[in-house]
Amino acid sequence: MTRQIRLDQIDDLMAEAIQELVQRTTLRWTDLSKNATPVGETGNLRNDWKTDIRKYKGTIINRMEYAEPVIYGTSLPPSWQNRYRTRQQTIKGFPELQAKQLTTQYIPNEFKKIIRSM
């Protein structure tokens, strides 16, 4: 059965749906990033991912000093001899690849699920 809502309720319903979508997407992206992050001797890089979810904004961040070279392949340390490399053959720039997948597949599908459940 289709849910009946008044016209003046649409904005509240959409706001609720977007907030849920932001939360789900941010948590999904955090999981994807953690799973894609190579694990060294300590696992600190993988464990340092932090998630911040606000009303309409989700942020994930990794503040480890060596996160940028490992995750993006930029600012490489001298020991890497100007070559990107990880023991697990990590794809440099994986967050952008994940973002593309999230925006083209995950977000549209999740939004449909959220709307259907309302």
Side-chain angles (χ1 to χ4, degrees):
M1 178 174 203
T2 304
R3 180 177 171 188
Q4 300 283 325
I5 60 168
R6 295 186 324 262
L7 234 65
D8 64 336
Q9 296 173 318
I10 292 175
D11 60 341
D12 291 336
L13 187 67
M14 286 296 105
E16 184 181 324
I18 295 299
Q19 289 173 35
E20 178 68 22
L21 183 62
V22 166
Q23 180 178 2
R24 288 184 189 189
T25 304
T26 305
L27 293 174
R28 176 72 179 140
W29 202 353
T30 302
D31 287 342
L32 289 171
S33 295
K34 283 184 178 185
N35 290 332
T37 302
V39 178
E41 295 174 15
T42 64
N44 289 340
L45 183 62
R46 181 176 281 182
N47 293 329
D48 195 63
W49 286 104
K50 305 291 184 244
T51 304
D52 180 30
I53 301 172
R54 308 258 171 124
K55 194 170 185 176
Y56 298 110
K57 180 181 176 181
T59 305
I60 62 170
I61 191 166
N62 192 310
R63 294 187 188 259
M64 292 298 293
E65 61 187 34
Y66 51 90
E68 184 179 351
V70 174
I71 296 167
Y72 293 102
T74 56
S75 301
L76 299 176
S79 63
W80 287 25
Q81 299 173 341
N82 228 13
R83 287 186 11 240
Y84 177 80
R85 58 185 179 189
T86 64
R87 288 181 219 149
Q88 290 89 358
Q89 306 302 315
T90 305
I91 298 171
K92 68 179 175 178
F94 64 81
E96 281 85 8
L97 298 173
Q98 293 167 341
K100 183 176 180 180
Q101 184 271 331
L102 287 168
T103 56
T104 59
Q105 297 170 18
Y106 181 82
I107 291 173
N109 291 335
E110 285 302 300
F111 189 67
K112 287 176 191 173
K113 289 178 192 175
I114 291 167
I115 294 299
R116 284 187 204 126
S117 70
M118 298 185 121

